[in-house]
Amino acid sequence: MDRLTKLLKRGVVLLDGATGTNLLNKNILPGESPSSLNLKNPEAVYELQKAYIEAGSDIILTNTFSANPFNFKGNKYKEVIRAGVEIACRASKGRLVFGDVGPLGILIKPYGDGNFDDVFKIYFEIFETFYKSGVKNFFIETFNSIIEAKAAFLAARNYADNIMVSFSFQENEKTIFGEEPESIAITFEKLGAKAVGVNCTPPETTLAVLERMSRITQLPLIAKPNAGRVIIENNKIRQSISDKELAGYFGKFIKSGAQLIGGCCGTTPEYIKRISVRRTELRIPSRNANSRFILASPQKFIEIDSDSTIIVGERLNPSGRKKIREKLLKNDYTIYGEEARLQEEAGAEALDVNAYVAGLEERKTLVNCLTEVIKNSKLPVFIDTQDYLAAKKAMEIYPGIGVYNSIPARLKDLEKFLPLVRYYGFKAVISLVGKRIPRNCKERLKNADFVLKIARRLRFPVADLIFDPLVFSIATGPEQIEETSKAVAELHRKGLKTILGISNISFGLPERSLMNAGMVNRAISAGVNFLILNPLDPRVMESYYTARALFKNEIVEYIQWVKNTKFVYPQTSQKFATKQRPKTGIQSNPAEDFMRAIVAGDTKSATEYIKILLDAGISPKTIIDNYISKAMKMVGDKYEKGVFFIPDLLKSAEATRIVLETIKKNIKRETGGREGRKKIVLATVKGDIHDIGKNIVAMVLESAGYEVIDLGKDVAALKIVNAVKKYKPVAVGLSALLTTTMSEMGNVIKLMREAGLDTPVIIGGPNVNDRFAKKIGAYAAVNNAFAGLRILKKLG
């Protein structure tokens, strides 16, 4: 039993408190990383960590949160890590030391241009440096994107087993990417984390998120709250909640499921001391130990029990679909995003993703198709490939827990694929084809028993297996329907999950959807858990909801579906069809349709409608001023209401960018080109290398018709002043993520005024507010792109 496990068995484990906010007056330059003090002022770091140990911390984190190649040139970050490890080990007095690692501050595909493999390599070198320095426990914290945290976690797993993961959340209990606490918790539990939780988040939100996580995972939970919000007065930083007030949440954190408790921004050794004296008073509540079968995408999780029947959309497959195959041969993957969105709207609850086309490199094709699916749908996925390397890469980059489809019931295949699937925390579909195709129920069950035996030997969780008893075409083997149904019923009786590819039954027959619909009824009555089918087939969907009402007692769901569905029964024909009622308003107005496409981030539709509008003689200026601006306002309203998140903003901005490219020649002719557009200068101030927020602002403003001069990150004040002189913008936007760089905003404004420039300055960042803006002479402070857009509209 390792030391961390022993600590957790003993009860509440105390982490340390904030590092950066306690080192701001220890010779840190504006915008400089607190990690730099490992080299510049190691004694200040040592004294702080020593104080935490003396206050009662069981675990100390190295002062290396921002030690990465984006903050330190060359390999200097490795020196910072080595020094941080030495200081922490010296201060720890034998207590556990964890290497502290934070996000790199870049957007990974599909949300940005960052490449998963490149990010993985950076983290790999970071953790390798820790390992060689003697630290083999890692704390990955303050993440807001599962895909980046997963890249870090997989890199760390090469050097340690004790890895804890912590995310930062908004008041709506989601990350800025709209990711759910449950999805985060189950993803990292299945990947093998030793603990998961919340940091850099206000205490009330921390409590709410922990309660949600505690219902879904058995992992120890982490609570590292901020001491409220940042307040800057007289060039000093303080928090809105005192150590004493924050310590009052200690019992609530434990009750909500936390076992590892510390503090983030604004907390001090005094806070740790206050909660340390109470640690023996409180008992950690027990949690339900039942294993749960959960699939998760970043924004959605599905819990599946033995009586669940889930629709898996089948349409993301080139086999039998000429249109998809032709798109892939042209390296056009966007159809996967379009089809994923359509299937989700039609009622699919998961999506099967297959990208095999003879002659194409399947690994590359599958990854590109999967990226489009992640970007355009919230549904969990089934990775459908027989290529080992393609499967490995797809499961590696997927930000959640999906299913690998499928593994034959043969020893060689099971030994090859089950360890891979387990490594990435996925579930596995088992095709009950053994050495030969089974012809009856008995042979299918025999193969299932064999798989269970091998899975246990390979330490693959039996509960994560889904058995496929196979559906043969009724045209070639009508007796197989009975054998398949019997196998489903018997596996269901044993408590095992089952899946059927419904459409296989109708190969070679006319009116295939009628046959498929009949098989849906038969499968649900037998107890099947997953149905791979076409959710856009109205007959099949009718059978699905009807069978669930008849055999699963899901009458409420049936009634709700009927209310949302318009049935059309032509009197002159025996055929009938159903048609989903449109979810939006009037469909016949191109301008309205265009705006809806922008809001939805539907690039294909937006491009089609812009051509219709231009052909109708509507000027580009009218399109930008009236339609695009209105659409972006709708996006902003959804964002501020918590309906949209950063991925939604990025999709909308991308659709608008493509539209603007389409009409740029018209813009040049009718509005004078770029010279006729209002200019905005944007910059992340000197010392701050975090520019995700600023980049999003740039995209939104470009989408709204402004010309953005983006000076980048870590920009010197003089360079900003010179840009204002050159471009004469209607406003300047300054960004700062770090509290240590906020003062640089004031320096820029001061230099502008000394140069006789009275251009309004709008400041942005998580810690800025109107009070701070007024103090430094800024026009306004905003916390998102759309708030900035509204202020620009007021400026005229």
Side-chain angles (χ1 to χ4, degrees):
M1 186 184 297
D2 63 32
R3 292 177 63 193
L4 177 61
T5 303
K6 288 180 180 178
L7 277 176
L8 291 169
K9 280 189 171 293
R10 196 175 70 190
V12 177
V13 177
L14 295 188
L15 305 171
D16 56 14
T19 297
T21 52
N22 286 305
L23 294 174
L24 291 179
N25 61 349
K26 305 296 181 181
N27 198 28
I28 293 182
L29 298 175
E32 189 174 31
S33 165
S35 301
S36 64
L37 292 182
N38 294 346
L39 302 177
K40 290 177 59 177
N41 190 357
E43 282 307 303
V45 179
Y46 170 78
E47 289 298 330
L48 176 61
Q49 294 181 333
K50 178 184 172 186
Y52 280 127
I53 292 295
E54 291 174 348
S57 293
D58 301 302
I59 293 174
I60 202 79
L61 305 182
T62 56
N63 178 37
T64 52
F65 174 77
S66 53
N68 62 58
F70 292 96
N71 283 322
F72 295 93
K73 294 180 180 179
N75 285 324
K76 190 173 181 181
Y77 76 92
K78 295 182 179 180
E79 295 179 42
V80 172
I81 290 173
R82 287 191 285 266
V85 168
E86 188 279 326
I87 296 167
C89 289
R90 181 160 56 97
S92 69
K93 295 184 178 179
R95 307 279 176 87
L96 271 177
V97 172
F98 273 65
D100 191 40
V101 176
L104 302 178
I106 59 176
L107 288 172
I108 300 178
K109 295 175 182 176
Y111 308 127
D113 296 326
N115 183 281
F116 185 94
D117 290 344
D118 293 338
V119 171
F120 174 88
K121 289 174 184 176
I122 292 170
Y123 281 120
F124 187 91
E125 290 194 8
I126 288 172
F127 291 114
E128 181 182 49
T129 305
F130 275 111
Y131 185 85
K132 289 181 177 179
S133 301
V135 167
K136 302 173 184 178
N137 304 301
F138 302 132
F139 195 91
I140 298 171
E141 67 171 329
T142 324
F143 280 78
N144 48 45
S145 160
I146 292 178
I147 198 163
E148 184 180 2
K150 185 174 182 179
F153 186 91
L154 293 176
R157 221 159 73 166
N158 288 277
Y159 294 104
D161 292 323
N162 284 341
I163 308 169
M164 297 193 279
V165 184
S166 185
F167 276 66
S168 178
F169 293 85
Q170 302 179 105
E171 288 184 8
N172 58 15
E173 300 168 24
K174 303 174 190 283
T175 71
I176 60 172
F177 285 86
E179 298 180 347
E180 302 285 357
E182 294 89 348
S183 294
I184 290 166
I186 199 65
T187 295
F188 288 97
E189 176 181 331
K190 297 301 292 185
L191 284 171
K194 288 300 175 71
V196 66
V198 188
N199 80 293
C200 207
T201 300
E204 289 295 340
T205 305
T206 298
L207 285 171
V209 171
L210 289 172
E211 287 170 0
R212 291 176 62 177
M213 287 184 168
S214 69
R215 292 193 289 268
I216 216 79
T217 178
Q218 295 305 304
L219 285 180
L221 297 181
I222 303 162
K224 279 190 64 182
N226 284 343
R229 59 184 177 81
V230 173
I231 298 173
I232 299 180
E233 290 180 338
N234 301 321
N235 293 324
K236 292 183 179 180
I237 296 175
R238 66 179 180 86
Q239 304 292 129
S240 61
I241 298 176
S242 69
D243 286 323
K244 181 179 179 181
E245 290 173 307
L246 188 60
Y249 283 86
F250 184 61
K252 296 178 182 178
F253 291 143
I254 294 174
K255 186 177 180 180
S256 66
Q259 189 174 356
L260 297 111
I261 301 176
C264 208
C265 298
T267 57
T268 72
E270 176 63 23
Y271 162 69
I272 299 299
K273 184 176 180 180
R274 285 180 176 274
I275 64 175
S276 178
V277 298
R278 297 189 58 203
R279 64 191 305 172
T280 58
E281 300 174 10
L282 302 165
R283 175 176 290 183
I284 300 169
S286 60
R287 277 187 267 159
N288 188 348
N290 292 335
S291 178
R292 297 181 174 187
F293 189 106
I294 298 172
L295 301 181
S297 72
Q299 298 89 14
K300 187 179 182 68
F301 69 97
I302 307 172
E303 185 171 354
I304 299 151
D305 60 28
S306 61
D307 289 325
S308 300
T309 304
I310 301 300
I311 294 176
V312 182
E314 71 178 13
R315 293 172 60 85
L316 300 176
N317 193 330
S319 178
R321 298 202 65 199
K322 183 180 178 181
K323 181 180 178 181
I324 288 183
R325 189 165 59 253
E326 289 177 345
K327 291 278 189 181
L328 296 185
L329 287 170
K330 295 177 182 178
N331 296 322
D332 182 354
Y333 310 105
T334 56
I335 192 169
Y336 272 69
E338 296 163 13
E339 286 283 357
R341 186 168 56 246
L342 285 173
Q343 291 186 95
E344 182 172 0
E345 291 173 354
E349 295 162 275
L351 299 170
D352 188 69
V353 184
N354 182 303
Y356 175 74
V357 176
L360 294 181
E361 182 187 342
E362 188 175 2
R363 177 183 173 186
K364 175 186 174 183
T365 306
L366 181 59
V367 166
N368 285 326
C369 291
L370 182 59
T371 298
E372 288 296 320
V373 173
I374 296 169
K375 183 178 177 180
N376 289 279
S377 170
K378 294 180 171 64
L379 301 183
V381 300
F382 282 54
I383 304 298
D384 189 352
T385 177
Q386 295 304 300
D387 185 303
Y388 182 89
L389 293 178
K392 180 179 185 298
K393 178 52 64 176
M395 286 189 284
E396 180 180 71
I397 69 165
Y398 184 68
I401 298 300
V403 180
Y404 173 64
N405 184 20
S406 63
I407 309 172
R410 296 189 290 261
L411 179 61
K412 183 179 179 181
D413 295 293
L414 293 167
E415 290 182 333
K416 179 179 182 180
F417 280 97
L418 280 181
L420 176 71
V421 176
R422 179 168 66 89
Y423 187 84
Y424 291 107
F426 269 51
K427 320 295 185 183
V429 170
I430 303 296
S431 168
L432 291 180
V433 174
K435 293 181 180 179
R436 65 188 183 93
I437 296 175
R439 303 306 299 175
N440 55 47
C441 174
K442 184 177 179 180
E443 290 180 8
R444 288 170 169 85
L445 296 178
K446 182 179 178 180
N447 288 343
D449 288 338
F450 173 73
V451 170
L452 292 171
K453 178 182 175 182
I454 301 304
R456 292 186 182 103
R457 175 167 66 78
L458 295 173
R459 295 185 295 115
F460 189 94
V462 170
D464 286 349
L465 296 174
I466 306 169
F467 292 92
D468 181 1
L470 313 173
V471 175
F472 296 97
S473 174
I474 195 170
T476 58
E479 78 285 350
Q480 289 299 315
I481 304 307
E482 177 64 23
E483 297 299 327
T484 296
S485 300
K486 284 166 60 178
V488 168
E490 186 59 25
L491 291 166
H492 176 69
R493 188 186 66 79
K494 293 182 176 183
L496 300 171
K497 303 289 190 300
T498 55
I499 186 170
L500 290 177
I502 295 302
S503 299
N504 293 337
I505 193 177
S506 58
F507 283 135
L509 297 173
E511 291 293 338
R512 291 185 61 189
S513 68
L514 284 173
M515 194 64 68
N516 294 343
M519 189 61 197
V520 166
N521 277 287
R522 185 70 180 270
I524 291 177
S525 67
V528 75
N529 299 108
F530 298 89
L531 291 171
I532 303 179
L533 52 77
N534 178 8
L536 273 63
D537 185 329
R539 287 168 173 163
V540 168
M541 295 303 285
E542 284 178 350
S543 292
Y544 171 74
Y545 284 102
T546 303
R548 282 177 53 168
L550 290 172
F551 304 118
K552 302 286 186 179
N553 197 29
E554 295 181 356
I555 309 298
V556 174
E557 290 82 356
Y558 169 78
I559 294 172
Q560 188 61 47
W561 173 74
V562 170
K563 287 181 177 178
N564 293 330
T565 305
K566 181 180 180 181
F567 295 86
V568 181
Y569 297 89
Q571 295 179 354
T572 59
S573 172
Q574 295 297 317
K575 298 180 181 180
F576 65 89
T578 62
K579 183 179 180 181
Q580 290 295 101
R581 287 185 182 134
K583 296 183 178 181
T584 52
I586 299 170
Q587 301 292 305
S588 58
N589 186 324
E592 293 291 332
D593 291 340
F594 171 68
M595 289 188 287
R596 272 192 291 271
I598 291 290
V599 173
D602 185 349
T603 301
K604 180 182 177 182
S605 296
T607 304
E608 292 172 353
Y609 285 122
I610 193 63
K611 292 176 181 177
I612 293 172
L613 294 174
L614 290 172
D615 289 345
I618 300 175
S619 73
K621 187 175 187 305
T622 298
I623 292 171
I624 291 173
D625 291 347
N626 294 350
Y627 306 150
I628 292 180
S629 293
K630 185 177 178 181
M632 294 308 291
K633 182 181 184 302
M634 293 164 65
V635 172
D637 291 343
K638 287 178 178 290
Y639 179 74
E640 293 187 345
K641 290 176 182 177
V643 177
F644 271 14
F645 299 91
I646 284 181
D648 304 294
L649 302 190
L650 296 175
K651 284 198 299 179
S652 297
E654 176 65 10
T656 307
R657 185 186 68 79
I658 298 297
V659 164
L660 291 175
E661 286 293 320
T662 303
I663 62 174
K664 64 181 180 181
K665 292 182 180 179
N666 301 72
I667 294 175
K668 184 175 182 179
R669 183 176 65 250
E670 298 192 27
T671 68
R674 294 179 65 85
E675 292 74 15
R677 297 164 63 193
K678 295 176 181 178
K679 297 181 177 66
I680 310 292
V681 168
L682 294 182
T684 300
V685 295
K686 181 67 178 174
D688 204 318
I689 54 84
H690 300 84
D691 64 351
I692 290 177
K694 185 261 298 170
N695 291 342
I696 293 169
V697 170
M699 283 189 287
V700 169
L701 297 186
E702 283 276 11
S703 301
Y706 291 91
E707 179 184 346
V708 175
I709 296 92
D710 188 347
L711 302 180
K713 57 191 176 183
D714 192 21
V715 184
L718 185 58
K719 182 177 179 179
I720 297 171
V721 171
N722 289 337
V724 176
K725 291 179 179 178
K726 178 179 178 180
Y727 295 106
K728 298 179 174 54
V730 296
V732 176
L734 300 180
S735 170
L737 175 72
L738 305 172
T739 53
T740 52
T741 58
M742 287 169 59
S743 60
E744 183 63 15
M745 292 174 161
N747 294 337
V748 173
I749 294 172
K750 180 181 178 184
L751 198 61
M752 283 177 59
R753 302 306 179 238
E754 289 175 351
L757 301 170
D758 60 357
T759 309
V761 176
I762 304 169
I763 61 174
N767 297 309
V768 303
N769 52 45
D770 290 335
R771 183 177 178 182
F772 180 71
K774 184 177 181 180
K775 178 181 177 182
I776 65 173
Y779 182 81
V782 297
N783 57 14
N784 65 67
F786 295 98
L789 186 58
R790 283 197 297 272
I791 289 174
L792 288 175
K793 295 291 185 184
K794 291 179 181 178
L795 288 173

